[in-house]
Amino acid sequence: MPVRNVAAGLAVKESIVAKIPVARIDVLELDLSSMASVRRFASEFESLNLPLNILINNAGVLTRNHTCSCDGLELHFATNHIGHFLLTNLLLENMKSTCRDSGTEGRIVNVTSVGHAMMTYPEGICFDKIHDPSGLNDFIAYCQSKLANILHSNELSRIFKEEGVNISANAVHPGVIMTNIFRDRTIVGAFFNTIGRIICRRVEQGAATTCYVAMHPQVKGISGKYFADCNISSPSLQASDAELAKKLWQFSLQTLSS
């Protein structure tokens, strides 16, 4: 379990083991907004010598006031995309060797949002705002990062097919869920704490599509798709733009090396 709050992660581990005594769970610290933290986590994970069959990139932040990460990147993009991009790249060799040794398909699931189709720039990703987010609307920044999640999945899928690697990569919209993602937004948070309890899904319901894409035999061999409600769905035209996906991939690599 990669967690930002280790104490909370250990509490969750205890609750799981109480229900499933044979479960083996390792809790490692990971802050996806920090490249140094991602690299440290990947190193610690590799030291455990564990196989890696499934990677679910699930972190998501929605903040305000044009916040930047410790690496000087727009925080939504840094956490929701770059952190996952770096983590995936660092763990890929493990996944490749695991699928070769086990003969079992590896699966990467990027958790996105239907927001990717609602509030983005005409060009999809506003690359010049990543290092200078001044004037960037926070909701658009969030939706832009969710668009990046789908483009990341699509380009991963293309590369895997080109290389003949037995790993799938898909994106998932879990639905509108009752989480604390709006904790930094008082009015919106208050709305979701009241009306949201009626119209939103519970966390368990929201996890259904993610678990389906990560585990179900019916999804075997399916890659480069966008899922919602446990079915293949249609993302926005921007999310289906292969050239934009390649451009984002190169921009992300350059960001990691700068």
Side-chain angles (χ1 to χ4, degrees):
M1 290 173 54
V3 297
R4 194 160 53 100
N5 184 328
V6 175
L10 290 172
V12 172
K13 172 184 175 178
E14 290 177 5
S15 68
I16 294 174
V17 173
K19 295 179 180 179
I20 310 172
V22 297
R24 177 187 170 182
I25 301 172
D26 295 288
V27 177
L28 298 179
E29 183 176 10
L30 172 61
D31 182 351
L32 280 156
S33 70
S34 164
M35 295 185 202
S37 178
V38 174
R39 291 190 170 97
R40 186 164 54 249
F41 167 83
S43 177
E44 291 175 355
F45 179 79
E46 290 301 309
S47 70
L48 296 176
N49 294 314
L50 295 172
L52 182 61
N53 302 89
I54 299 169
L55 175 62
I56 299 174
N57 291 319
N58 185 52
V61 63
L62 174 57
T63 185
R64 61 195 308 170
N65 299 328
H66 318 305
T67 308
C68 285
S69 71
C70 60
D71 299 302
L73 305 174
E74 193 281 317
L75 187 61
H76 298 90
F77 192 86
T79 307
N80 303 348
H81 169 63
I82 288 293
H84 290 141
F85 181 87
L86 174 59
L87 179 65
T88 301
N89 282 6
L90 292 174
L91 299 180
L92 264 184
E93 286 308 312
N94 185 318
M95 291 199 77
K96 289 178 180 179
S97 62
T98 298
C99 74
R100 282 195 303 266
D101 295 343
S102 65
T104 302
E105 177 188 60
R107 297 188 185 184
I108 297 173
V109 181
N110 285 341
V111 179
T112 181
S113 166
V114 71
H116 81 274
M118 295 180 177
M119 295 179 66
T120 53
Y121 285 99
E123 62 268 40
I125 305 292
C126 196
F127 293 102
D128 62 338
K129 287 292 183 181
I130 304 304
H131 297 280
D132 178 19
S134 58
L136 182 64
N137 177 277
D138 42 12
F139 278 112
I140 292 180
Y142 172 78
C143 293
Q144 174 177 256
S145 71
K146 296 289 98 181
L147 171 61
N149 293 152
I150 304 178
L151 294 170
H152 178 211
S153 300
N154 293 348
E155 185 63 4
L156 268 174
S157 177
R158 185 193 68 79
I159 292 171
F160 291 152
K161 290 175 182 176
E162 189 176 85
E163 296 179 349
V165 176
N166 189 24
I167 300 176
S168 67
N170 291 293
V172 165
H173 167 53
V176 182
I177 309 168
M178 279 298 299
T179 69
N180 64 350
I181 193 170
F182 293 110
R183 59 185 176 274
D184 292 333
R185 310 187 67 84
T186 306
I187 297 176
V188 179
F191 171 81
F192 269 86
N193 284 332
T194 53
I195 305 300
R197 297 183 185 279
I198 301 173
I199 65 174
C200 294
R201 300 180 183 186
R202 301 190 309 275
V203 170
E204 293 82 1
Q205 294 172 321
T209 303
T210 301
C211 292
Y212 172 74
V213 176
M215 304 282 293
H216 204 284
Q218 288 182 351
V219 188
K220 182 178 179 180
I222 297 175
S223 188
K225 300 298 182 181
Y226 169 71
F227 285 80
D229 295 322
C230 295
N231 284 287
I232 294 176
S233 187
S234 298
S236 69
L237 291 177
Q238 291 173 333
S240 303
D241 188 332
E243 291 305 313
L244 182 59
K246 292 179 181 178
K247 185 176 180 180
L248 174 64
W249 185 277
Q250 291 303 317
F251 178 85
S252 302
L253 288 177
Q254 292 168 7
T255 299
L256 296 182
S257 61
S258 60

